[in-house]
Amino acid sequence: MLEEDNLNKEKTLKLLQSMATVEWGGDKLYDGKNDHLQQNPKEFVKFLDGLISLKKLKNLDFSSFLEIGFHNGYTNTIIDKIFKFKNNVVVDLVDQPCNAEAFRANHRFKNLTMICGDSTSTHVIKQAEKLGPYDLIFLDGCHEEYYVNEDYNNYKKMLSEDGVFVFHDINSTRFKGVAKVWKQAKEDYKEFYEFFVPNGNMGCGIGFIVNS
């Protein structure tokens, strides 16, 4: 199902809907456990399909992955299942409520290195740089404009040639700072792709630029 060469979009959508709450466009009722997928399932499937298509079209190598903002780890696990990263690095303050069992489970069965700390701190940036460069970077950390801008400018330098930099929440009404930085990224790199499925107050939007 979660296979790069044969992504079954219908089955993947059903899987993601079973993992996401109603607020995110899924089938679960929020129960306070914070063990759900924080993605709009329809939107995320479109994004995954678009990323796979781009990789095939340009014959890209997605061996090394950096995720800024891990939370309980479901986004990381889903992307890792598809691309089977040789190097999977995550940065997170680990300060948001999440389910301990989900957090632990999503550290398993992958080549994962976790850097716990502020993504804008010099120490964390240096640690991440040592483990790079990265073919794919997924930015979903602090959504305040200052931090999004800092993360974008600090970590885009770690992109490999033809690497892809992903932004989450580019169309969110709650996090307008992300949209501002995303607008600048599109001007910086020209080649970009956007995926958005309207979903009321939980509308997200995913976009990525290509370092070409």
Side-chain angles (χ1 to χ4, degrees):
M1 185 194 309
L2 294 174
E3 297 178 357
E4 179 183 347
D5 293 331
N6 186 27
L7 181 70
N8 188 313
K9 290 184 283 186
E10 183 178 347
K11 288 185 177 179
T12 300
L13 177 59
K14 289 182 179 179
L15 171 65
L16 301 189
Q17 286 174 329
S18 73
M19 298 169 63
T21 63
V22 171
E23 291 79 11
W24 287 90
D27 297 331
K28 294 179 62 174
L29 287 177
Y30 179 68
D31 57 10
K33 294 180 180 179
N34 291 304
D35 61 353
H36 56 279
L37 172 68
Q38 293 189 326
Q39 297 285 349
N40 179 307
K42 291 182 180 179
E43 183 175 276
F44 202 53
V45 170
K46 288 179 180 291
F47 157 71
L48 293 172
D49 186 49
L51 194 60
I52 291 170
S53 296
L54 179 75
K55 183 176 183 292
K56 292 178 179 178
L57 177 66
K58 291 182 171 286
N59 194 29
L60 301 180
D61 175 27
F62 285 172
S63 297
S64 187
F65 179 50
L66 171 66
E67 182 182 30
I68 304 164
F70 182 77
H71 193 245
N72 58 28
Y74 282 118
T75 295
N76 185 281
T77 292
I78 291 165
I79 299 175
D80 186 86
K81 288 286 186 186
I82 293 174
F83 296 113
K84 300 175 177 60
F85 302 115
K86 295 178 181 177
N87 181 38
N88 186 340
V89 179
V90 299
V91 174
D92 200 292
L93 262 178
V94 197
D95 64 339
Q96 296 295 315
C98 71
N99 181 275
E101 292 181 358
F103 183 79
R104 177 180 179 276
N106 285 305
H107 277 71
R108 303 186 68 196
F109 311 119
K110 61 179 82 164
N111 298 314
L112 184 71
T113 302
M114 185 165 201
I115 304 172
C116 297
D118 185 336
S119 61
T120 64
S121 75
T122 301
H123 175 72
V124 168
I125 292 169
K126 286 182 177 179
Q127 293 302 309
E129 190 172 23
K130 289 178 182 178
L131 296 167
Y134 303 99
D135 306 313
L136 182 64
I137 297 177
F138 195 102
L139 178 57
D140 195 16
C142 181
H143 287 46
E144 293 180 17
E145 183 178 352
Y146 168 80
Y147 288 97
V148 179
N149 189 62
E150 286 290 299
D151 286 341
Y152 167 58
N153 284 301
N154 287 326
Y155 292 97
K156 70 180 182 181
K157 301 171 186 176
M158 302 180 198
L159 270 180
S160 60
E161 185 178 355
D162 294 325
V164 174
F165 198 112
V166 184
F167 286 75
H168 192 249
D169 290 310
I170 60 172
N171 274 306
S172 172
T173 57
R174 298 179 297 155
F175 307 116
K176 296 182 179 180
V178 180
K180 291 182 180 180
V181 182
W182 170 242
K183 181 180 179 181
Q184 181 60 53
K186 291 191 292 184
E187 294 177 359
D188 291 343
Y189 286 91
K190 307 303 180 185
E191 185 178 0
F192 63 90
Y193 302 83
E194 297 177 312
F195 308 88
F196 179 59
V197 175
N199 186 34
N201 291 331
M202 296 299 286
C204 303
I206 305 174
F208 60 76
I209 56 90
V210 182
N211 187 25
S212 57

